[in-house]
C-alpha cells in the first residue's frame, strides 16, 4: 500500500513508510549534528496556516524548511478568511498553484480534509481536534533513540485526545505495545479504537485501555502525558481539573514504573497533568522529544514534497 499524498493522520501511511520516515528523521538529525544540512528542498515553498497557537510546530516547520533550503510562509486566519473571504476549496486551489506544500492547524479535522481534497499539493496536519500525527513521528523517533520499537512498552495517561488518538493509531500500525489510561468519560474516540483494533489484528500490536493509571504504567518503559485541556476546550478547564485529578504523572505514579522515560508533547501545565519534579527530573526526555519535532518534520516534508524515500 502506498502512502497518501497528504499526512492528515498517521493511518495515511503503512508501517514500512512510517519506519522509512523514522529512519530518515534519525539520519537528518545525525547529519545536523555533524553540521550538514542537505539542500533537498532548495527553491521549494510551503504555506503554514494556523488557526490556533503554536510554538513547536510552527517554529520547527519553518526552521525545517529553511534548513533544507526551502522557504515557509505563515498565514493567519484573519489574512486568509477561509469560509468568509473565500471557500476552503478556493483557498486550496489557489495555494496549489503557488506553493509546494501546505501545513494546517485547524480546529476542525473535517475542514482540513476539505482543504486536502481540493489541493493538488501535499497537505500536512499540524494538529486538529482529532489528530496530531506529526507529533507522534517525533515521539517515536525519541522512543527509538532509547529502546527497540518492537519491544518498548508505552503508557499514555490522561485525556483521550488528539495526541492519544494518533499515538494509538501509530502503535497499532507498527505492532507495538501501548496501555492507555483515561477516565471512562474521556477515552480515545470509539472510531479510532475500532480502526486501531483492525490495524492491530494485522500488525500484532497490543493495546490496553483502562481507567487505572497504575495498571497502565506498571513496568512501562515510557510514560506519556498531555494537557487535560486541549486548545478550544478552555471553558471546561475547571471541570477537567477535577475529572483528571487522579491522572497526574508524578513521582508517586512513577514508583510503578521506576525505569520509565517520561514523554510530554508540550506545552506542559505544571502541577496539573505532570508535576515539575517529573518534568524537570532525570527520567524526563521532553526536550529531546521537542528537538525531534524539527528532524522528523524535515523527513515528513521531504517524503511529501519529493516522493517516497
Ligand atoms: N507539541 C506541539 O504541537 O506544540 P505547539 O502547540 O507549541 O506547536
Ligand atoms: N492536545 C493538545 C496538544 C497540544 C500540542 C491540544 O490539542 O491542545
Amino acid at each position: 500500500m502506498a502512502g497518501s499524498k497528504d499526512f492528515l493522520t498517521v493511518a495515511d501511511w503503512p508501517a514500512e513508510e512510517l519506519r522509512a520516515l523514522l529512519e530518515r528523521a534519525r539520519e537528518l538529525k545525525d547529519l545536523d549534528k555533524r553540521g550538514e544540512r542537505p539542500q533537498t528542498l532548495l527553491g521549494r515553498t510551503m504555506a503554514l496556516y494556523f488557526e490556533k497557537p503554536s510554538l513547536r510546530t510552527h517554529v520547527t516547520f519553518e526552521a525545517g524548511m529553511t534548513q533544507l533550503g526551502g522557504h515557509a510562509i505563515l498565514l493567519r486566519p484573519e489574512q486568509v478568511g477561509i469560509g468568509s473571504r473565500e471557500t476552503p476549496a478556493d483557498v486550496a486551489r489557489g495555494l496549489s498553484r503557488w506553493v509546494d506544500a501546505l501545513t494546517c492547524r485547524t480546529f476542525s479535522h473535517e475542514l482540513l480534509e476539505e482543504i486536502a481534497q481540493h489541493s493538488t499539493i501535499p497537505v500536512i496536519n499540524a494538529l486538529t481536534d482529532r489528530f496530531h500525527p506529526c507529533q507522534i513521528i517525533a515521539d517515536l523517533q525519541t522512543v527509538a533513540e532509547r529502546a527497540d520499537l518492537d519491544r518498548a512498552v508505552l503508557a499514555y495517561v490522561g485525556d483521550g485526545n488528539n495526541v492519544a488518538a494518533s499515538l494509538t493509531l501509530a502503535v497499532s500500525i507498527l505492532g507495538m505495545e501501548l496501555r492507555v489510561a483515561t477516565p471512562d468519560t474521556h477515552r480515545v474516540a470509539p472510531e479510532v479504537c475500532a480502526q486501531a483494533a483492525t490495524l492491530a489484528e494485522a500488525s500484532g500490536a497490543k493495546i490496553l485501555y483502562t481507567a487505572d493509571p497504575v495498571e497502565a504504567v506498571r513496568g512501562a518503559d515510557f510514560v506519556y502525558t498531555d494537557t487535560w485541556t486541549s486548545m478550544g476546550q478552555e471553558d471546561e478547564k475547571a471541570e477537567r481539573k477535577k475529572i483528571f485529578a487522579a491522572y497526574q504523572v508524578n513521582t508517586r505514579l512513577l514508583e510503578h514504573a521506576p525505569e520509565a522515560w517520561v514523554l510530554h508533547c508540550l506545552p506542559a501545565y505544571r502541577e496539573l497533568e505532570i508535576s515539575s519534579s517529573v518534568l524537570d527530573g532525570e527520567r524526563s526526555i521532553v526536550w529531546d522529544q521537542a528537538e525531534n519535532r524539527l528532524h522528523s518534520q524535515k523527513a515528513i516534508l521531504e517524503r511529501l514534497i519529493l516522493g517516497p524515500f
Side-chain angles (χ1 to χ4, degrees):
M1 183 175 101
S4 151
K5 94 167 171 58
D6 305 306
F7 192 47
L8 307 188
T9 144
V10 278
D12 279 344
W13 290 348
E16 59 271 25
E17 286 248 22
L18 292 180
R19 288 186 192 277
L21 200 64
L22 289 168
E23 176 53 26
R24 181 58 178 160
R26 187 196 61 72
E27 196 174 42
L28 285 166
K29 184 173 183 178
D30 288 350
L31 287 169
D32 192 61
K33 299 292 172 202
R34 298 206 300 264
E36 291 176 45
R37 291 185 172 165
Q39 301 293 285
T40 49
L41 298 184
L42 195 66
R44 310 286 185 135
T45 308
M46 174 174 66
L48 278 165
Y49 174 76
F50 281 86
E51 286 184 350
K52 306 181 192 182
S54 172
L55 176 65
R56 278 144 289 271
T57 311
H58 171 198
V59 172
T60 52
F61 265 119
E62 200 160 322
M65 277 304 281
T66 304
Q67 289 185 8
L68 294 173
H71 177 66
I73 300 172
L74 179 67
L75 301 171
R76 290 281 175 200
E78 60 274 17
Q79 279 179 289
V80 184
I82 290 184
S84 55
R85 195 163 177 267
E86 260 177 306
T87 66
D90 286 351
V91 171
R93 289 180 184 114
L95 286 169
S96 295
R97 300 292 180 108
W98 309 315
V99 298
D100 300 287
L102 169 62
T103 294
C104 296
R105 172 169 286 191
T106 54
F107 282 94
S108 147
H109 192 75
E110 287 67 32
L111 173 60
L112 179 73
E113 288 178 329
E114 189 180 349
I115 292 169
Q117 192 194 332
H118 294 280
S119 296
T120 55
I121 51 171
V123 175
I124 301 172
N125 182 352
L127 181 149
T128 62
D129 52 357
R130 288 174 55 198
F131 297 115
H132 196 4
C134 297
Q135 178 67 52
I136 300 311
I137 304 301
D139 301 342
L140 293 178
Q141 182 181 358
T142 312
V143 169
E145 287 172 348
R146 284 178 174 73
D148 181 347
L149 287 188
D150 296 328
R151 289 164 190 256
V153 176
L154 274 59
Y156 176 92
V157 178
D159 186 17
N161 61 16
N162 44 8
V163 169
S166 289
L167 184 65
T168 303
L169 287 178
V171 161
S172 64
I173 294 165
L174 293 169
M176 296 170 62
E177 181 169 351
L178 171 68
R179 301 136 176 197
V180 185
T182 65
D184 287 335
T185 47
H186 291 75
R187 298 181 62 152
V188 173
E191 64 277 12
V192 173
C193 296
Q195 189 181 8
T198 307
L199 290 162
E201 254 176 59
S203 70
K206 286 203 261 176
I207 303 174
L208 169 84
Y209 302 99
T210 174
D212 179 0
V214 173
E215 185 185 12
V217 308
R218 192 174 287 125
D221 301 309
F222 295 86
V223 173
Y224 192 161
T225 191
D226 180 21
T227 180
W228 295 337
T229 306
S230 287
M231 290 177 277
Q233 299 173 334
E234 288 77 7
D235 290 353
E236 301 169 24
K237 190 168 180 183
E239 192 197 340
R240 284 175 166 269
K241 205 172 150 181
K242 287 186 216 148
I243 293 169
F244 290 101
Y247 291 81
Q248 187 185 75
V249 173
N250 53 33
T251 45
R252 213 169 54 191
L253 183 63
L254 290 184
E255 282 170 13
H256 302 278
E259 302 292 311
W261 298 108
V262 174
L263 297 161
H264 192 309
C265 59
L266 305 175
Y269 296 88
R270 289 165 179 266
E271 320 316 336
L272 291 178
E273 76 275 3
I274 192 164
S275 66
S276 286
S277 57
V278 168
L279 189 71
D280 301 328
E282 58 184 19
R283 307 303 299 177
S284 170
I285 51 173
V286 301
W287 300 111
D288 289 345
Q289 188 184 0
E291 178 185 346
N292 287 338
R293 296 295 307 277
L294 175 63
H295 306 295
S296 57
Q297 277 160 199
K298 287 189 286 187
I300 292 168
L301 288 167
E302 282 188 346
R303 164 65 186 77
L304 281 174
I305 296 174
L306 303 176
F309 296 118

PDB file of all heavy atoms in Angstrom, residues 84-97:
ATOM      1  N   SER A  84     -15.101  32.933   4.943  1.00  0.00           N
ATOM      2  CA  SER A  84     -15.732  34.258   4.912  1.00  0.00           C
ATOM      3  C   SER A  84     -15.304  34.993   3.638  1.00  0.00           C
ATOM      4  O   SER A  84     -16.126  35.443   2.835  1.00  0.00           O
ATOM      5  CB  SER A  84     -15.372  35.073   6.159  1.00  0.00           C
ATOM      6  OG  SER A  84     -13.976  35.164   6.298  1.00  0.00           O
ATOM      7  N   ARG A  85     -13.988  35.057   3.414  1.00  0.00           N
ATOM      8  CA  ARG A  85     -13.495  35.743   2.216  1.00  0.00           C
ATOM      9  C   ARG A  85     -13.529  34.807   1.000  1.00  0.00           C
ATOM     10  O   ARG A  85     -13.804  35.234  -0.119  1.00  0.00           O
ATOM     11  CB  ARG A  85     -12.071  36.225   2.498  1.00  0.00           C
ATOM     12  CG  ARG A  85     -11.523  37.226   1.546  1.00  0.00           C
ATOM     13  CD  ARG A  85     -10.302  37.928   2.142  1.00  0.00           C
ATOM     14  NE  ARG A  85      -9.761  38.839   1.166  1.00  0.00           N
ATOM     15  CZ  ARG A  85      -8.784  38.510   0.322  1.00  0.00           C
ATOM     16  NH1 ARG A  85      -8.233  37.328   0.366  1.00  0.00           N
ATOM     17  NH2 ARG A  85      -8.355  39.396  -0.566  1.00  0.00           N
ATOM     18  N   GLU A  86     -13.205  33.528   1.266  1.00  0.00           N
ATOM     19  CA  GLU A  86     -13.167  32.524   0.198  1.00  0.00           C
ATOM     20  C   GLU A  86     -13.556  31.172   0.768  1.00  0.00           C
ATOM     21  O   GLU A  86     -13.362  30.933   1.970  1.00  0.00           O
ATOM     22  CB  GLU A  86     -11.730  32.389  -0.335  1.00  0.00           C
ATOM     23  CG  GLU A  86     -11.468  33.132  -1.612  1.00  0.00           C
ATOM     24  CD  GLU A  86     -10.019  33.033  -2.054  1.00  0.00           C
ATOM     25  OE1 GLU A  86      -9.130  33.361  -1.250  1.00  0.00           O
ATOM     26  OE2 GLU A  86      -9.778  32.641  -3.196  1.00  0.00           O
ATOM     27  N   THR A  87     -14.021  30.265  -0.059  1.00  0.00           N
ATOM     28  CA  THR A  87     -14.337  28.916   0.428  1.00  0.00           C
ATOM     29  C   THR A  87     -13.027  28.155   0.685  1.00  0.00           C
ATOM     30  O   THR A  87     -11.992  28.466   0.077  1.00  0.00           O
ATOM     31  CB  THR A  87     -15.157  28.121  -0.603  1.00  0.00           C
ATOM     32  OG1 THR A  87     -14.315  27.907  -1.756  1.00  0.00           O
ATOM     33  CG2 THR A  87     -16.429  28.847  -1.011  1.00  0.00           C
ATOM     34  N   PRO A  88     -13.089  27.130   1.543  1.00  0.00           N
ATOM     35  CA  PRO A  88     -11.890  26.312   1.748  1.00  0.00           C
ATOM     36  C   PRO A  88     -11.359  25.749   0.430  1.00  0.00           C
ATOM     37  O   PRO A  88     -10.146  25.719   0.199  1.00  0.00           O
ATOM     38  CB  PRO A  88     -12.383  25.180   2.669  1.00  0.00           C
ATOM     39  CG  PRO A  88     -13.594  25.724   3.358  1.00  0.00           C
ATOM     40  CD  PRO A  88     -14.218  26.700   2.399  1.00  0.00           C
ATOM     41  N   ALA A  89     -12.272  25.319  -0.445  1.00  0.00           N
ATOM     42  CA  ALA A  89     -11.848  24.726  -1.722  1.00  0.00           C
ATOM     43  C   ALA A  89     -11.095  25.746  -2.577  1.00  0.00           C
ATOM     44  O   ALA A  89     -10.076  25.423  -3.201  1.00  0.00           O
ATOM     45  CB  ALA A  89     -13.069  24.194  -2.473  1.00  0.00           C
ATOM     46  N   ASP A  90     -11.577  26.997  -2.621  1.00  0.00           N
ATOM     47  CA  ASP A  90     -10.918  28.010  -3.458  1.00  0.00           C
ATOM     48  C   ASP A  90      -9.543  28.391  -2.884  1.00  0.00           C
ATOM     49  O   ASP A  90      -8.598  28.636  -3.649  1.00  0.00           O
ATOM     50  CB  ASP A  90     -11.813  29.247  -3.609  1.00  0.00           C
ATOM     51  CG  ASP A  90     -12.987  28.970  -4.547  1.00  0.00           C
ATOM     52  OD1 ASP A  90     -12.993  27.901  -5.189  1.00  0.00           O
ATOM     53  OD2 ASP A  90     -13.905  29.822  -4.618  1.00  0.00           O
ATOM     54  N   VAL A  91      -9.450  28.439  -1.571  1.00  0.00           N
ATOM     55  CA  VAL A  91      -8.133  28.704  -0.958  1.00  0.00           C
ATOM     56  C   VAL A  91      -7.173  27.575  -1.339  1.00  0.00           C
ATOM     57  O   VAL A  91      -6.019  27.812  -1.734  1.00  0.00           O
ATOM     58  CB  VAL A  91      -8.267  28.830   0.582  1.00  0.00           C
ATOM     59  CG1 VAL A  91      -6.885  28.879   1.239  1.00  0.00           C
ATOM     60  CG2 VAL A  91      -9.069  30.076   0.955  1.00  0.00           C
ATOM     61  N   ALA A  92      -7.662  26.338  -1.248  1.00  0.00           N
ATOM     62  CA  ALA A  92      -6.824  25.168  -1.573  1.00  0.00           C
ATOM     63  C   ALA A  92      -6.388  25.219  -3.044  1.00  0.00           C
ATOM     64  O   ALA A  92      -5.228  24.939  -3.365  1.00  0.00           O
ATOM     65  CB  ALA A  92      -7.606  23.894  -1.295  1.00  0.00           C
ATOM     66  N   ARG A  93      -7.305  25.584  -3.921  1.00  0.00           N
ATOM     67  CA  ARG A  93      -6.982  25.640  -5.363  1.00  0.00           C
ATOM     68  C   ARG A  93      -5.917  26.705  -5.651  1.00  0.00           C
ATOM     69  O   ARG A  93      -5.001  26.488  -6.427  1.00  0.00           O
ATOM     70  CB  ARG A  93      -8.239  25.949  -6.179  1.00  0.00           C
ATOM     71  CG  ARG A  93      -9.222  24.791  -6.207  1.00  0.00           C
ATOM     72  CD  ARG A  93     -10.467  25.146  -7.023  1.00  0.00           C
ATOM     73  NE  ARG A  93     -11.431  24.071  -6.949  1.00  0.00           N
ATOM     74  CZ  ARG A  93     -12.634  24.149  -6.370  1.00  0.00           C
ATOM     75  NH1 ARG A  93     -13.048  25.293  -5.835  1.00  0.00           N
ATOM     76  NH2 ARG A  93     -13.428  23.117  -6.320  1.00  0.00           N
ATOM     77  N   GLY A  94      -6.062  27.864  -5.010  1.00  0.00           N
ATOM     78  CA  GLY A  94      -5.083  28.935  -5.219  1.00  0.00           C
ATOM     79  C   GLY A  94      -3.706  28.523  -4.713  1.00  0.00           C
ATOM     80  O   GLY A  94      -2.714  28.566  -5.459  1.00  0.00           O
ATOM     81  N   LEU A  95      -3.663  28.067  -3.474  1.00  0.00           N
ATOM     82  CA  LEU A  95      -2.362  27.702  -2.886  1.00  0.00           C
ATOM     83  C   LEU A  95      -1.679  26.609  -3.703  1.00  0.00           C
ATOM     84  O   LEU A  95      -0.452  26.600  -3.836  1.00  0.00           O
ATOM     85  CB  LEU A  95      -2.552  27.253  -1.429  1.00  0.00           C
ATOM     86  CG  LEU A  95      -2.836  28.389  -0.437  1.00  0.00           C
ATOM     87  CD1 LEU A  95      -3.287  27.840   0.914  1.00  0.00           C
ATOM     88  CD2 LEU A  95      -1.601  29.273  -0.247  1.00  0.00           C
ATOM     89  N   SER A  96      -2.476  25.708  -4.250  1.00  0.00           N
ATOM     90  CA  SER A  96      -1.904  24.596  -5.033  1.00  0.00           C
ATOM     91  C   SER A  96      -1.160  25.097  -6.269  1.00  0.00           C
ATOM     92  O   SER A  96      -0.282  24.406  -6.796  1.00  0.00           O
ATOM     93  CB  SER A  96      -3.010  23.637  -5.481  1.00  0.00           C
ATOM     94  OG  SER A  96      -3.607  23.026  -4.363  1.00  0.00           O
ATOM     95  N   ARG A  97      -1.508  26.307  -6.752  1.00  0.00           N
ATOM     96  CA  ARG A  97      -0.826  26.855  -7.929  1.00  0.00           C
ATOM     97  C   ARG A  97       0.471  27.586  -7.580  1.00  0.00           C
ATOM     98  O   ARG A  97       1.245  27.926  -8.468  1.00  0.00           O
ATOM     99  CB  ARG A  97      -1.751  27.844  -8.665  1.00  0.00           C
ATOM    100  CG  ARG A  97      -3.061  27.228  -9.164  1.00  0.00           C
ATOM    101  CD  ARG A  97      -2.819  26.231 -10.293  1.00  0.00           C
ATOM    102  NE  ARG A  97      -4.049  25.640 -10.772  1.00  0.00           N
ATOM    103  CZ  ARG A  97      -4.606  25.914 -11.956  1.00  0.00           C
ATOM    104  NH1 ARG A  97      -4.044  26.780 -12.771  1.00  0.00           N
ATOM    105  NH2 ARG A  97      -5.716  25.327 -12.315  1.00  0.00           N
TER     106      ARG A  97
END
